[in-house]
Amino acid sequence: MNQLFNQTYQNKKVLVTGHTGFKGSWLSLWLLLLGAEVVGFSLEPDTDPSLYRELVLEKKLTGIIGDIRDKDLVESVINKHKPDFIFHLAAQPLVRRSYSEPHLTFETNIMGTVNILEAVRKSNLKCVIVNVTSDKCYENSGNACSFSENNPMGGYDPYSASKGAAELVTSAYRNSYFNPANYGINHKTALASARAGNVIGGGDWAEDRLIPDFVRALSKEEDIIIRNPHATRPWQHVMECVSGYLHLAAKLNENPAKYAEGWNFGPDKNSVMTVEQIIQKSLELWGTGMSSALQVGKAEPSGSSLPLRSGNYKIISDKNMKEAAFLSLDISKAKEKLGWQPVYDINQALEKTISWYKNYYFNKADSFEFTKQQIEEYCSNYAPSFP
Ligand SMILES: NC(=O)c1ccc[n+]([C@@H]2O[C@H](COP(=O)([O-])OP(=O)(O)OC[C@H]3O[C@@H](n4cnc5c(N)ncnc54)[C@H](O)[C@@H]3O)[C@@H](O)[C@H]2O)c1
């Protein structure tokens, strides 16, 4: 594990914004396992349960609770901690919420990005930055295709537009202040952006996301509601995109001029499934092996909040909220130029995800150890090239 990413992160100071969130918690834990000193900057976790609390990360890293929209605070954090690496994940990440709170979404996702980049610009720090945006940053005309990095930015709904705009901000800062051609001459910042697809994995309890909604419904013995059964998404396990961020930043650190651009991190083509297929497969996995899980588990089956049942799902469409029917990412650039590649296919990603929740609700083995083991197992299958 320590040998991964060329030991880039060992004893390095790494700022993770959004460290209390789903992806941020996985990334922070992985960085800690790689020997990094992690500083986190976010709001308090806004779900209960939360992965951040489950992993007791507040005891393992320097966590700063603050608002990314507060530019003076962001500046003071960067000046005080002088990170070698910044992974910027703090965002309002939900499409449905962006419809009801567009101002908050634009301010957090766009000005939050400006605040980070501006603080680094003013500090003249030697730093590698990965700005995490989304597959939704691309203009989606509705013609089913796979987006590659040179497709135009866009965004139909406020969330997607905010991520498209965050990409434009990143590109403007890179052209104007952190130009790769001038690295080492008038700046020391290597800036790239990472566009990942729909992420699944243990420990996500956010609203309006498929797997968290699935787990919540089963826990309340309610039907699972799905809104866009035929929508396809580039589903990937959270470790895939996190490995992409870590891999990209390590490459940027080695060669700041070569990799300072936008990168897609998604699954292989065979991992694109419809929402309905994901639910059907998850229901299958939820039932499979459950009785043995209960037998070996420390929890009393009767005391568990999740009864053994197969569950039903209902399709309820929401005509007020438009979401793209088809999203897919072309990841050939990351494969060819970074030497990065996904490890799990969709079936393995779902199996790891559902087994995480089954452990949480039934077996109750320590979540920190369970998550750490999942990362270690992933790493043992990870074979990136670091020329
Ligand atoms: N989960 C996905 O499927 C997915 C897909 C593509 C891109 N992304 C992007 O990945 C990043 C992380 O997403 P996630 O799934 O972990 O979401 P999450 O909701 O679990 O975490 C969001 C994090 O951002 C922080 N945050 C939100 N508003 C903030 C503010 N005003 N100030 C400071 N911190 C703030 C939260 O405290 C939290 O730590 C986001 O940028 C999101 O847009 C997520």
Side-chain angles (χ1 to χ4, degrees), residues 113-114 117-118 121 168-179 191:
T113 303
V114 173
L117 299 181
E118 189 58 7
R121 182 181 79 85
L168 296 177
V169 166
T170 305
S171 149
Y173 266 80
R174 187 169 45 232
N175 291 332
S176 311
Y177 311 112
F178 308 138
N179 198 309
L191 170 62

Side-chain angles (χ1 to χ4, degrees), residues 5 8-9 12-19 23-24 27-28 31 34 36 38-42 68 83-90 116 127-132 192 194 241-252 265:
F5 311 114
T8 300
Y9 300 101
K12 288 292 184 326
K13 179 85 73 90
V14 183
L15 174 65
V16 177
T17 74
H19 72 294
K23 276 191 188 179
L27 173 61
S28 299
L31 281 164
L34 291 168
V38 179
V39 177
F41 181 87
S42 307
I68 201 81
D84 302 295
F85 293 85
I86 299 176
F87 293 93
H88 176 47
L89 282 78
I116 288 284
C127 186
V128 166
I129 309 176
V130 172
N131 183 28
V132 170
C241 61
V242 170
S243 82
Y245 306 155
L246 290 167
H247 192 111
L248 171 58
K251 287 286 193 186
L252 271 169
F265 295 105

Side-chain angles (χ1 to χ4, degrees), residues 81-135:
H81 293 280
K82 299 187 176 30
D84 302 295
F85 293 85
I86 299 176
F87 293 93
H88 176 47
L89 282 78
Q92 190 305 91
L94 304 170
V95 175
R96 280 176 80 80
R97 187 171 174 204
S98 82
Y99 273 97
S100 58
E101 297 190 71
H103 188 276
L104 173 91
T105 304
F106 286 126
E107 209 181 0
T108 306
N109 298 1
I110 304 173
M111 290 316 292
T113 303
V114 173
N115 290 344
I116 288 284
L117 299 181
E118 189 58 7
V120 173
R121 182 181 79 85
K122 282 189 178 167
S123 71
N124 202 23
L125 207 69
K126 179 174 179 330
C127 186
V128 166
I129 309 176
V130 172
N131 183 28
V132 170
T133 66
S134 166
D135 56 349

Side-chain angles (χ1 to χ4, degrees), residues 39-340:
V39 177
F41 181 87
S42 307
L43 300 178
E44 292 278 5
D46 66 350
T47 61
D48 183 15
S50 84
L51 183 60
Y52 182 70
R53 298 260 186 260
E54 259 313 290
L55 301 179
V56 203
L57 286 176
E58 64 271 32
K59 298 233 162 90
K60 300 176 175 81
L61 48 71
T62 305
I64 300 160
I65 297 301
D67 197 319
I68 201 81
R69 294 170 297 168
D70 181 343
K71 80 175 174 45
D72 295 335
L73 181 59
V74 171
E75 223 175 282
S76 74
V77 168
I78 291 200
N79 288 335
K80 178 171 175 199
H81 293 280
K82 299 187 176 30
D84 302 295
F85 293 85
I86 299 176
F87 293 93
H88 176 47
L89 282 78
Q92 190 305 91
L94 304 170
V95 175
R96 280 176 80 80
R97 187 171 174 204
S98 82
Y99 273 97
S100 58
E101 297 190 71
H103 188 276
L104 173 91
T105 304
F106 286 126
E107 209 181 0
T108 306
N109 298 1
I110 304 173
M111 290 316 292
T113 303
V114 173
N115 290 344
I116 288 284
L117 299 181
E118 189 58 7
V120 173
R121 182 181 79 85
K122 282 189 178 167
S123 71
N124 202 23
L125 207 69
K126 179 174 179 330
C127 186
V128 166
I129 309 176
V130 172
N131 183 28
V132 170
T133 66
S134 166
D135 56 349
K136 296 191 173 70
C137 68
Y138 294 110
E139 177 68 41
N140 192 338
S141 61
N143 302 326
C145 72
S146 218
F147 296 105
S148 59
E149 286 84 347
N150 51 13
N151 278 106
M153 295 296 120
Y156 180 93
D157 58 85
Y159 171 73
S160 305
S162 76
K163 287 291 178 175
E167 281 285 347
L168 296 177
V169 166
T170 305
S171 149
Y173 266 80
R174 187 169 45 232
N175 291 332
S176 311
Y177 311 112
F178 308 138
N179 198 309
N182 299 329
Y183 185 88
I185 300 169
N186 60 6
H187 74 91
K188 292 167 280 175
T189 301
L191 170 62
S193 62
R195 304 148 189 180
N198 278 54
V199 173
I200 59 173
D204 191 4
W205 280 282
E207 297 159 37
D208 292 321
R209 280 188 184 156
L210 194 59
I211 297 293
D213 283 350
F214 168 91
V215 174
R216 256 190 303 272
L218 286 179
S219 74
K220 294 183 196 153
E221 296 189 51
E222 288 170 357
D223 286 342
I224 301 148
I225 308 289
I226 56 175
R227 293 184 191 85
N228 295 305
H230 307 301
T232 57
R233 294 286 179 266
W235 309 100
Q236 64 184 339
H237 195 276
V238 62
M239 286 185 280
E240 304 283 15
C241 61
V242 170
S243 82
Y245 306 155
L246 290 167
H247 192 111
L248 171 58
K251 287 286 193 186
L252 271 169
N253 190 48
E254 280 179 7
N255 190 337
K258 194 167 170 194
Y259 301 104
E261 43 193 61
W263 300 87
N264 287 346
F265 295 105
D268 276 316
K269 284 196 183 92
N270 59 4
S271 284
V272 176
M273 260 193 194
T274 68
V275 163
E276 190 167 14
Q277 285 167 327
I278 291 280
I279 288 298
Q280 287 165 342
K281 181 85 197 161
S282 301
L283 282 168
E284 226 175 83
L285 287 164
W286 192 260
T288 314
M290 185 62 80
S291 12
S292 65
L294 287 171
Q295 278 159 24
V296 297
K298 294 160 204 138
E300 291 298 321
S302 56
S304 166
S305 57
L306 293 190
L308 174 58
R309 70 200 263 297
S310 58
N312 297 311
Y313 65 92
K314 261 199 228 160
I315 298 168
I316 298 181
S317 63
D318 183 349
K319 296 204 171 58
N320 293 322
M321 208 197 75
K322 182 178 181 297
E323 274 207 68
F326 182 86
L327 270 180
S328 162
L329 284 174
D330 178 347
I331 55 167
S332 44
K333 179 178 154 186
K335 280 182 167 178
E336 282 159 26
K337 295 195 176 161
L338 290 177
W340 173 86

